[in-house]
Structures are given as C-alpha cells and as structure tokens.
Amino acid sequence: MFRIRSMKLIACCAALMFSLGARAADAEVTERHKKVVEEVFQRLLAVMETPDGWEVWPPEVTVVDKGFANAFAGFRTEDGVDVPYVEITVTTVEEIADYDPDTLAFTLGHELGHLFFDHNHQSIEFREQFGDKLQTIRLACNREQELEADLFGMQLAFKAGYSRQGLIKDLDGWRENTTPYCRFEGLSVSHPTWEDRATYLFDDERQQSLWRSLSSFQTGVMFLENQHYLHAQLCFENVTVEFPECYEAWANLGYALLMRYCDGLDAEDLKNFDIGHLVVGGFYRRPGSLEPTVRGVDPDLWFEAVGAFREALRLKERLGLKDDLLMVKANLAVAYLIHPAGKDVGQAERWFDEVFTALRNNPEDSQLDPLVHASILINSGSARGFDSDLVVQTLGLLAEAKTKRGNDLVATALETALQFNQARTLVTSGDPAKQMTALALFEKYLDGMTSASSWWPIAYEQYVQLSKAVGKAPKAESEFKQLGIKDWRPVTAVELTDGKTIGLSQPLKEVLKTLGPADVEIPVIEGKNLKYYKYEELGITILATREVLAVILDSEKAPAVKIQRPGLGGDDATLELGMNRGVLEGLLGSDWDVEITNLFQLDELHQLYRDLGLAVQFEDGVVSELVISVVPLK
C-alpha cells in the first residue's frame, strides 16, 4: 500500500480565516489604522530577505473594512505578472491589536511568511493536480503551512525588535475572539488551534505545557460531550500530570472514568441496582485555572472515578475556591447509586443534600444552567422517587432550557428519561388511571430513547408487565423506533492488543513515547512533515504530522475495533480484519449507504463511513484494511 512519492505541489491556506462577528455598520478605515499598519509593515520588510519567485517585490499592505477580524496574503495578476499583497481588517487593528504595534507585528509577519514560502501558488497547484480529492492530506499540509508562517512571522517580528509580550497578546487576542475548536475538531479545518500554535512557538517549557494542557483540556471536553470516554480520559490524565492543581481536569477525569464504568453496565446490572433512569452527558467545566496568565461491573474504574472526584474537592478546599463544584458532588451521588457492591443510598443522599443545600443558600448556585439543574433533579429522583412537585420543577427547567438555541436535543433526551422515571413511580400506585398514564409514558420512552440504552430493555419488560396487568396487548419491540445502521458513536481511538491506546489528534510525541520508534517511516510529501509510521508487530500504520491524522489497521496482527451505540451502556460490536463483508455491512451499511472515496492516494479507494470516522477496504469478500480517520468534507 505504501510507497514514497515525490510530490512538490502542496496546499496551504493563505490567510487567517477566522470570523469574529459583525462590527458596527458605520466603521471605516481611518488614517490612524493606516499609519500604524504601514509603520509596522515597513519595519518588518526592512529586516526581511527578498523571497525567490516574485517578479514584483515588496508587496503593498492595505487596511480594509470587512466587518470581522482577519488578515490575508495573496496576489493579483497584472499584465501577466503576479503582484503580491497583504490586507488586514479594521477589526483586527482595533479588537485584536488595540492599535499596538508589537501585537500587529506578528499578524503581519505571519502573512509575509505566506508570501515568503509562496503558499498561494502551491495551493493553486495542489488543486489543479488533485482537484477536491485527498482532503485529509490537503488540510494537513495547510495546517503545517500555517505553523511555518507562524514561525516565520515570530522570527521576523523579533528580528525587527518587537517583543515577546506582543506575541502573547496577539495569540491571546485571536484565541479569545474566534470561534473555539479543539485539536480533534481541528483535523477537519485548515488551521491548527491557537493552543497548538502557541505550543509550537514557545520555547519556554512552562508556557509550552500550559498551552498544551489547554489544548488537551478542550479536546477532552469535546470527547466527553460526544461520549468518547476513553479518549477523554487520556486527555484529562495528560492535564493532571502537567498541572496537578487543575481541579476542573480532575472533575472531568472522574466523569470520564465514571462513564466508562457505566458503559460496562448491562440491563441486568441496572436491575440489580434497583434505581430509576440516570441522565449523563454534556455538562463539563471549562478550565478557569488553566487560563494563561501571560461490559460488566469494573470496580477499579469506579474507585478511580471517585478518587478523581475527591481530588477535585480536596483541591477546592486547599485552594480556598468559592466554586461549590456542584456537578462533582452530583456525580459522586450518582457513583454511589451504582456502587460495585450495590447502591449506597446513604452516601448518595449525603452528596445530593450538599447540592440542594448549596442551591438554596448560594445565590450564584441558584443561577445554575437549567439543563444541569434538571439533570441533578432527575438523578436525585432516581434514588428518592418522583413526586409531582419534582416532576413539575424538572419540566419547568427543561422548558426554560428549550428557550435557548441549541438545547433542544439535550432537553428532549432529559424529558425522555423523566418519562421512564415517572412511569416507574406511577406503576406502584395501584391506581388504574395512573397505571394507564404510566403505560402511555412507557410507550413515549420506548419510542424516544435509543434501544441501545441499557435501560431500554428494562423499560420494555416493565411495559409488557404493565400492559398485561391492565388488560391491554403490548406492542412488539419491532413496533418501536429501531436502531439504524448509522446509530453508532464515532470511532476516535484504537485500543491496541497490549492495552495501550492511540487516538486521533493525539500529539505524535506522545505516541512515539508510548510505542517507541516506528519500524518504518515513510514520507508522504517530499520535504514536508507528513509521514506514515509503520509498526509491524502491532499491525498498524499511523499517518501523522505533529498529531495523529489516521490509524490504519493493515495486517493480521492488527487489533479489533470496538464500536458502541450511543447512550449509557449502549450495545457494542467488534470490527476486525478478516471479517466477512456481509457481516460488517449488516452492522454499518452497504456501499449504497456510504461514500467511495480516495483517502490518501489517488490509486486507492476506500468505502467511507463518514459519520463513524471509519473507512474499509475489502479483498475476496473480507475486510483487508480498516482506517480510523476524520475525513473532511470536499
């Protein structure tokens, strides 16, 4: 499959393409804007070598008003000659730099870097040669070129006498005023995250570790929100190693571990706990303390989770924090409801009482996000039971949450869990009218909740029993909403046969430290930091720049890939090399349901399950290669 290719045509984005939102309509380019930009630009040009390839040099710089922060490097063709130029917007001068020359120097130096390395023409030539194919390769090259321009801009600014503090201010300004995304999400865009760009530029180990930890934290939050708990665990463990006093990282590490424990629980385990429907997911703390100043019960996972939660609370007390860490306490309560030795209602009640006492007595806590508040009420009711007042309060919070854009899906999921718990409470009343209400609630739950959830079969069993008790024929399982072939959590990491884990977007340095040197390193593009790292004994090949872009399982020694349905304790399945094509397509879909695409080479096609983050090749009716990767849209 792999061969060294000589390719001199590479792609790179030529500008900082980040929108900060609209500015006032009456904003205009003033002499003050022009003066500060021109002075910085000329000072940079005075210490910059003339690059090869441009018939016209130096470029001109123009301040433009586009209503958002940005800077551009490009060229226009006049009489057959390409004339380079740089543009910077009014918003960048005002909001990112605040007219500060030191800050502007790094943005303008970055754009001059794009011109110095001629990224514009390279991007055009890449498109002409490959069209809209090889998106993973193209965007990886783009990100590398952004780092190349960053380093050039920093060195040029320092050479011109601008300060390190200006660099910090510039990075902080862009980071604070652009739409955030984490390192994993960055695999599908043309620019690295600002945290990773800062890590690349700073040579001070403390600054590097700070930005690196910010990047790991944000990536971990994204994995928690999308139920990739093992990958999230890796991210937060990295943060706690470098910054052991980051209590938010300990809190989220505890949650990742608890959710991994929960994923191992099946319907029989939950029935043994004899509790209502718990709700999880989506409410994770951002790292205030890291902001830069310049299938079965697994007791080990449970105890690790509780230990991480307790460490967060210990740090809160030692550091004298005002934060009550309500979600840490609420999650501890949930943990004790599913204790490996059986539910510990006393401990759960203790933690729930602390949460509700804080909500009553602390004005700041009383302003808790309604989704978070509703989830705490539902989980507390899973142990205490659901009276009408608790149901009304919870429904009120969910109605409030739905008034905020983007909350609909989570609020609906919480409503569905509440329906199960309401029905469970009403069943025991003995009142025929309430039992009929319970029957209707069970049907709503069974139709609204994924059947992969460990609670779904419990609900169906209780629904059948109640139907018979009230003399009504129950619906068959097949009459409720069924799982589709796309109802799987995306794959983001691979657990190797020796228990080590390799995840997408993981820094290459971490991988090499974990696995050791590769048996073979194969450059993908001549002279660029993009390689295949082949590990013969593990049966894998890793495609990486400074982070992992893809994990390729390509020999009989390769590990299996576990996929899992969404929801707590969702069903799982295993994919592996040598698997019958019909079995795999029965789980994921046939070639009618997927894309046939070029991933990394024009002469090789893969069957791509984009939503799953998985691509497959077949040979003689069996799986011959599995690829875990984020494949950007064309």
Side-chain angles (χ1 to χ4, degrees), residues 553-556 561 574-585 588 607 609 614-627:
L553 313 183
D554 53 5
S555 88
E556 60 183 14
V561 176
T574 299
L575 310 178
E576 56 189 347
L577 270 61
M579 186 178 194
N580 181 274
R581 179 170 186 159
V583 175
L584 181 139
E585 291 185 340
L588 307 182
Q607 189 160 296
Y609 298 88
L614 186 75
V616 188
Q617 281 187 334
F618 300 98
E619 186 174 332
D620 298 328
V622 299
V623 177
S624 59
E625 182 175 282
L626 292 169
V627 181

Side-chain angles (χ1 to χ4, degrees), residues 189 223 247 253 293 344 364 369 438 476 488 508 529 546 582 627:
V189 298
F223 284 133
Y247 64 96
L253 174 59
T293 55
D344 186 336
E364 291 185 7
D369 182 282
W488 298 98
L508 180 62
N529 183 34
R546 288 173 178 80
V627 181

Side-chain angles (χ1 to χ4, degrees), residues 292-336:
T293 55
V294 248
R295 215 127 244 290
V297 173
D298 186 337
D300 290 342
L301 278 175
W302 188 92
F303 283 105
E304 286 183 56
V306 170
F309 288 139
R310 290 187 179 277
E311 178 64 10
L313 293 174
R314 186 191 70 80
L315 287 169
K316 168 192 176 300
E317 294 299 325
R318 195 177 72 75
L319 299 174
L321 304 172
K322 294 182 180 180
D323 192 336
D324 283 320
L325 299 186
L326 295 187
M327 285 307 296
V328 172
K329 295 175 181 178
N331 287 330
L332 271 170
V334 169
Y336 280 103

Side-chain angles (χ1 to χ4, degrees), residues 165 168 172 206-207 210-211 214 288-294:
Q165 194 61 35
I168 294 172
D172 278 345
R206 178 69 181 177
Q207 281 287 342
L210 176 61
W211 286 93
L214 275 167
S289 65
L290 280 182
E291 288 300 314
T293 55
V294 248

Side-chain angles (χ1 to χ4, degrees), residues 369-371 374 396-408 411:
D369 182 282
L371 282 177
L397 288 166
L398 293 176
E400 179 185 348
K402 285 186 175 182
T403 63
K404 297 181 181 179
R405 186 177 180 182
N407 281 349
D408 281 356

Side-chain angles (χ1 to χ4, degrees), residues 34 54 138 174 195 203 236 255 313 330 392 433 455 569 580 627:
K34 295 177 182 177
W54 294 103
R138 182 179 69 81
W174 286 107
E195 292 81 10
D203 54 7
F236 292 120
Y255 192 88
L313 293 174
V392 169
W455 263 286
N580 181 274
V627 181

Side-chain angles (χ1 to χ4, degrees), residues 1-7 137 141 508 512 517-536 540-545 549-550 552 554 600-601 604 625:
M1 168 182 174
F2 302 107
R3 47 190 172 275
I4 300 176
R5 299 182 300 159
S6 176
M7 184 194 302
I137 301 295
C141 289
L508 180 62
L512 296 178
D519 297 306
V520 183
E521 293 185 13
I522 305 174
V524 179
I525 296 176
E526 182 181 335
K528 293 301 172 184
N529 183 34
L530 179 62
K531 296 180 181 179
Y532 293 112
Y533 297 82
K534 193 168 185 66
Y535 290 87
E536 302 281 359
I540 66 170
T541 300
I542 296 169
L543 175 65
T545 50
L549 306 179
I552 304 162
D554 53 5
F600 313 128
Q601 300 189 67
E604 287 196 352
E625 182 175 282

